[in-house]
């Protein structure tokens, strides 16, 4: 995979997060009575169907490389997908996404521990201000199940993105995404059966649409986090919050207020400054 700049890696994450909001919006249209494990299973099946044509020329040996890391990421992703459905249907779209975007801040200490990444003061400042912006948006007065579910999602996003560094670099992005979904299917099918709900295939098309959008996001993450240290680019994950506000307003009449605008500014402005700083360092 060719080397890309930090600025381009951050740009890819911005694009991926904007696309991911469309997946979240589709999930929210289903309502809270959806059979969650069935829907997650449908998402994985449709993801495999979408990705398979892009992987037909890959050799068997290539697919077996790094299988334990793919399996670990698959089950972390499965956990996050389940709690994401819960969180999105339990709270406004922008609020849920604001909590999801605690992931970049969580990635900073995790990257320090797992990969010994050196944290610049600029990445720390951007992460802290971004998280403070998240708190301003949430205005937490009490802990509820929706907020807990969203925090679990943030933790799984952080862990999954960091584990990308463990995956074989010679595997293509479609291969990586296919394996992540494929090895998680037995667990998701088992959960769907355990759920005990009558099989309802009506959400299948919605699952396919959600899979398509989230695969684009996951693909940008694979490319970006392979190319650059997470502490340099993770703050770009905050960018989707603006799209979440817009999507919530247009589709679900979730009107943002001045506090939301303040929190969003606290998230976005440090991101812009960090991107400029990292780009200037590369040109030196």
């Amino acid at each position: 995979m060719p080397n890309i700049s930090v600025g381009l890696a951050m740009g890819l994450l911005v694009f991926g997060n904007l696309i991911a909001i469309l997946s979240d919006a589709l999930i929210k249209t289903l309502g809270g009575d959806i059979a969650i494990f069935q829907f997650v299973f449908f998402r994985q099946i449709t993801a495999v169907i979408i990705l398979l044509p892009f992987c037909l020329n890959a050799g068997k040996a290539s697919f077996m490389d790094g299988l334990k890391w793919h399996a670990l990421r698959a089950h972390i992703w499965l956990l996050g997908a389940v709690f994401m459905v819960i969180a999105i249907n339990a709270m406004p779209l922008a609020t849920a996404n604001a909590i999801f975007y605690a992931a970049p801040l969580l990635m900073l200490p995790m990257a320090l521990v797992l990969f010994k990444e050196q944290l610049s003061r600029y990445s720390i400042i951007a992460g802290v201000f971004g998280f403070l912006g998240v708190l301003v948006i949430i205005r937490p007065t009490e802990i509820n199940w929706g907020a807990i579910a969203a925090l679990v999602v943030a933790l799984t996003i952080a862990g999954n993105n960091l584990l990308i560094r463990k995956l074989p670099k010679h595997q293509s992005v479609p291969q990586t995404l296919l394996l992540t979904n494929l090895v998680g299917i037995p667990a998701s099918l088992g959960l769907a059966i355990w759920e005990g709900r009558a099989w309802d295939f009506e959400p299948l098309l919605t699952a396919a649409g959600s899979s398509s959008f989230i695969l684009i996001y996951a693909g940008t993450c694979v490319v970006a986090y392979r190319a650059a240290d997470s502490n340099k680019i993770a703050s770009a994950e905050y960018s989707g919050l603006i799209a979440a506000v817009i999507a919530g307003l247009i589709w679900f009449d979730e009107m943002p207020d001045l506090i939301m605008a303040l929190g969003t500014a606290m998230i976005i402005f440090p991101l812009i400054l960090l991107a400029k700083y990292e780009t200037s360092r590369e040109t030196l």
Side-chain angles (χ1 to χ4, degrees):
M1 182 176 294
N3 292 327
I4 63 175
S5 66
V6 169
L8 181 54
M10 295 184 80
L12 284 172
L13 288 181
V14 170
F15 173 74
N17 276 271
L18 296 179
I19 294 297
I21 296 302
L22 299 176
S23 173
D24 294 349
L26 282 177
I27 292 172
K28 195 170 181 65
T29 62
L30 295 172
D33 193 43
I34 183 178
I36 295 174
F37 295 130
Q38 277 187 38
F39 180 75
V40 171
F41 173 67
F42 290 154
R43 270 185 42 160
Q44 289 195 298
I45 290 291
T46 53
V48 168
I49 293 172
I50 292 169
L51 291 165
L52 198 55
F54 299 98
C55 303
L56 293 178
N57 294 328
K60 181 179 178 181
S62 177
F63 269 107
M64 298 304 293
D65 291 345
L67 192 58
K68 65 178 181 180
W69 295 113
H70 286 293
L72 178 58
R73 290 187 74 245
H75 291 89
I76 292 174
W77 181 93
L78 177 60
L79 178 68
V82 169
F83 280 94
M84 182 176 290
V85 175
I86 296 172
I88 288 173
N89 284 303
M91 55 180 50
L93 192 63
T95 304
N97 274 272
I99 305 177
F100 297 164
Y101 292 135
L105 183 62
L106 296 174
M107 289 176 67
L108 295 177
M110 291 171 69
L112 178 64
V113 172
L114 294 176
F115 299 109
K116 311 301 181 190
E117 287 187 6
Q118 297 299 314
L119 306 182
S120 70
R121 62 178 177 177
Y122 296 97
S123 62
I124 294 174
I125 291 171
V128 170
F129 266 87
F131 187 64
L132 289 175
V134 170
L135 292 180
V136 168
I137 293 170
I138 299 172
R139 287 159 282 180
T141 56
E142 61 181 26
I143 299 296
N144 56 50
W145 285 112
I148 293 173
L151 286 171
V152 173
V153 173
L155 187 60
T156 61
I157 292 172
N160 246 338
N161 285 340
L162 286 174
L163 286 173
I164 288 171
R165 301 274 293 276
K166 293 289 188 179
L167 301 179
K169 295 185 183 299
H170 64 80
Q171 290 176 337
S172 67
V173 173
Q175 278 181 271
T176 299
L177 300 178
L178 177 66
L179 285 167
T180 298
N181 283 278
L182 192 60
V183 298
I185 284 177
S188 64
L189 175 58
L191 288 171
I193 294 172
W194 173 80
E195 192 172 21
R197 297 277 294 270
W199 286 92
D200 179 10
F201 294 95
E202 186 174 344
L204 189 58
L205 286 179
T206 302
S210 176
S211 290
S212 300
F213 293 131
I214 211 64
L215 285 175
I216 295 173
Y217 164 71
T220 61
C221 287
V222 171
V223 174
Y225 287 112
R226 277 179 173 172
D229 289 342
S230 59
N231 69 80
K232 294 180 179 179
I233 64 175
S235 293
E237 298 271 8
Y238 288 131
S239 57
L241 183 54
I242 294 178
V245 173
I246 295 172
L249 176 62
I250 294 175
W251 281 324
F252 307 106
D253 294 324
E254 297 170 354
M255 178 65 69
D257 53 20
L258 289 177
I259 299 297
M260 172 68 77
L262 174 62
T264 301
M266 292 175 66
I267 290 170
I268 298 302
F269 287 158
L271 164 65
I272 296 173
L273 295 177
L274 179 62
K276 290 183 177 179
Y277 168 72
E278 294 295 347
T279 301
S280 65
R281 284 189 61 188
E282 286 191 332
T283 58
L284 294 178

